[in-house]
Amino acid sequence: MNSVHLHVALNDGHFIPVLGFGTTVPQKLWSTFHRPELVRSCLEMTLKATQLDYVDLYVIHFPMALQPGNQFFPRDEHGKLLVDEVDLCDTWEAMEKCKDAGLAKSIGVSNFNRRQLEMILNKPGLKYKPVCNQVECHLYLNQSKMLDYCKSKDIALVSYCTLGSSRDATWVDQNSPVLLDDPVLCTIAKKYKKTPALVALRYHLQRGVVVLTRSFNEKRIRENMQVFEFQLTPEDMKVLDGLNRNLRYNPAYYFNGHPNHPFADEY
């Protein structure tokens, strides 16, 4: 197995695995820390807790700010989220300073649409482009337009919920389809004598997507490495393309209605 093909080069010269198993140490900037003066402190708290000198990747978790404080989701007496009006470009400048200080090797974003990415990319005095945009991406939401756009800007598209979701009833619609039970996917998996999960992972790797997959099962982790042992035909890739239905498992319901809601426009 050639290690060159197991990593993708980022636009800042660093590398990340094409299949994430936690070998890269990331940290996300939560929405209550978007004010420029809080960006570094959020990262420093994590570094202290994990006894690390730096993280490999520091990412803005959502493109909207919530009011600072002790609450993860600050709300008023009516249950409405308390948003904070912070310019994304100011937040990004503070991210750049974290990179310059050596606290993060690379900096990126998550859940950004094209408009929000362009706010950063067109910022006067931009020092570092985001190295990645982490988004929900799977066979039912293949993010083809966002993928093409990120490729054109030399930004890695990183997928989460790649195999669907954990079916957590607190945030996932229990009536939503189970991706790995899809009959088309299962038929193709049978053809290759692989699991549906392996075929789903392989599909994204062949498209140039960096895949995040999480498992605490050692057998499943080893099984996922088989994704590098086979290749899908162009015909099968096209069939899998056809499964897209713009379905989200992660609705980010707590941000709906805000103009900087990450899904305010899909692309």
Side-chain angles (χ1 to χ4, degrees):
M1 189 182 298
N2 191 337
S3 62
V4 173
H5 297 97
L6 301 183
H7 296 80
V8 61
L10 301 174
N11 61 40
D12 65 354
H14 294 298
F15 293 82
I16 57 173
V18 296
L19 185 64
F21 287 115
T23 51
T24 295
V25 180
Q27 167 62 13
K28 290 188 174 182
L29 175 74
W30 183 242
S31 294
T32 53
F33 290 86
H34 274 214
R35 292 183 185 180
E37 65 271 21
L38 299 178
V39 171
R40 177 166 175 165
S41 64
C42 180
L43 177 55
E44 287 177 334
M45 283 190 292
T46 296
L47 293 176
K48 182 178 180 180
T50 55
Q51 298 184 348
L52 294 172
D53 294 324
Y54 66 89
V55 293
D56 295 312
L57 180 61
Y58 193 29
V59 172
I60 299 177
H61 193 60
F62 281 104
M64 62 163 291
L66 298 177
Q67 288 189 15
N70 297 324
Q71 297 181 31
F72 209 56
F73 294 108
R75 299 180 185 275
D76 63 17
E77 64 273 18
H78 304 294
K80 184 178 179 180
L81 276 177
L82 296 172
V83 298
D84 200 23
E85 297 304 320
V86 182
D87 190 322
L88 276 176
C89 292
D90 293 338
T91 303
W92 186 253
E93 286 186 8
M95 297 283 288
E96 292 178 322
K97 291 178 181 178
C98 288
K99 178 176 171 63
D100 283 337
L103 301 179
K105 282 188 175 182
S106 302
I107 51 176
V109 299
S110 179
N111 298 303
F112 275 47
N113 58 33
R114 176 171 178 164
R115 174 180 60 84
Q116 293 151 352
L117 278 172
E118 289 182 340
M119 288 177 62
I120 302 298
L121 296 175
N122 296 329
K123 185 185 79 67
L126 179 69
K127 191 168 185 179
Y128 305 114
K129 293 198 303 184
V131 298
C132 68
N133 185 20
Q134 295 183 6
V135 297
E136 179 178 348
C137 181
H138 44 74
L139 286 167
Y140 289 160
L141 182 71
N142 67 22
Q143 299 277 13
S144 59
K145 289 183 179 180
M146 178 57 71
L147 176 59
D148 289 342
Y149 176 75
C150 285
K151 285 182 177 180
S152 74
K153 301 299 181 181
D154 195 21
I155 296 172
L157 186 75
V158 181
S159 71
Y160 66 79
C161 288
T162 314
L163 301 179
S165 76
S166 62
R167 314 300 297 179
D168 188 331
T170 60
W171 60 275
V172 176
D173 180 358
Q174 297 302 291
N175 294 318
S176 61
V178 178
L179 188 148
L180 295 182
D181 289 345
D182 185 274
V184 174
L185 173 62
C186 290
T187 297
I188 292 177
K190 186 176 181 179
K191 170 184 173 181
Y192 288 90
K193 297 181 180 180
K194 302 294 182 182
T195 64
L198 278 171
V199 171
L201 293 175
R202 184 67 209 178
Y203 166 76
H204 292 297
L205 291 181
Q206 287 186 212
R207 299 169 68 222
V209 175
V210 176
V211 176
L212 294 181
T213 180
R214 182 177 65 178
S215 177
F216 300 102
N217 185 300
E218 182 179 351
K219 179 182 178 181
R220 194 166 295 139
I221 292 173
R222 291 181 181 277
E223 179 183 83
N224 284 344
M225 291 302 294
Q226 296 176 27
V227 73
F228 300 107
E229 299 174 1
F230 72 105
Q231 187 162 345
L232 299 171
T233 66
E235 293 77 17
D236 287 332
M237 288 291 292
K238 187 173 182 179
V239 170
L240 292 172
D241 282 339
L243 294 181
N244 182 61
R245 56 178 78 179
N246 295 319
L247 180 148
R248 289 188 181 276
Y249 289 105
N250 179 28
Y253 59 88
Y254 35 79
F255 289 145
N256 282 333
H258 190 276
N260 267 358
H261 179 260
F263 314 138
D265 58 68
E266 293 293 325
Y267 168 65

